[in-house]
């Protein structure tokens, strides 16, 4: 059986074909949106954290339908959505980034946290408006990388 990819955010239904008794589900949480200078009193912004990665093998039953949720990336000042696949008795759940923090908290057998978003050490200081790099999403082999910080004005 081949690989199926659900890349656009939303809720999907997958029906298990005959002969399939388990699937290896991988999920990436959505990245968080950052704060830009005009959203923080005095200026300066920070970037959003990356989404978590989670993976596990789930038992499934031929002919049964299963729900897949692909979390949306966060807009300005909002968290990224969680992504999941709910098998018969196990759910693969990857958390979205929240604020500057990378997504984390999965209890699946394979999981890596998203990277932390970069910041501006002058955040809230008048005259400083530099942005920062977003945290990267985690992947199947490692945690996400932290975004670069800035001190520009």
């Amino acid at each position: 059986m081949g690989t199926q990819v659900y890349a656009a955010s939303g809720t999907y239904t997958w029906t298990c074909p005959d002969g399939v008794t388990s699937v290896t589900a991988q999920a990436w949480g959505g990245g968080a949106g950052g704060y830009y200078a005009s959203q923080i009193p005095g200026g300066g912004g920070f970037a959003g954290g990356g989404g978590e990665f989670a993976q596990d093998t789930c038992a499934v039953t031929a002919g049964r339908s299963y729900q897949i949720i692909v979390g949306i990336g966060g807009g300005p000042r909002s968290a990224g959505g969680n992504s999941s696949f709910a098998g018969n008795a196990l759910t693969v759940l990857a958390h979205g980034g929240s604020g500057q923090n990378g997504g984390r908290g999965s209890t699946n057998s394979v999981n890596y946290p998203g990277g932390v978003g970069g910041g501006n050490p002058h955040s809230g200081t008048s005259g400083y408006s530099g942005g920062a790099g977003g945290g990267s999403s985690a992947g199947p082999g490692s945690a996400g990388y932290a975004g670069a910080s800035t001190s520009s004005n």
Side-chain angles (χ1 to χ4, degrees), residues 25-106:
Q26 297 180 322
W28 285 262
Y35 287 65
Y36 45 86
S38 66
Q39 293 177 308
I40 297 176
F46 66 80
E52 177 181 41
F53 171 82
Q55 175 182 306
D56 225 317
T57 300
C58 301
V60 293
T61 304
R64 183 172 168 199
S65 294
Y66 296 88
Q67 185 178 60
I68 297 166
I69 298 173
V70 179
I72 192 168
R77 300 180 65 172
S78 63
N82 295 340
S83 297
S84 63
F85 174 83
N88 288 349
L90 178 66
T91 297
V92 175
L93 174 62
H95 298 88
S98 178
Q100 196 173 3
N101 299 313
R104 63 188 66 246
S106 173

Side-chain angles (χ1 to χ4, degrees), residues 112-124:
Y112 296 102
V116 174
N120 184 330
H122 301 290
S123 184

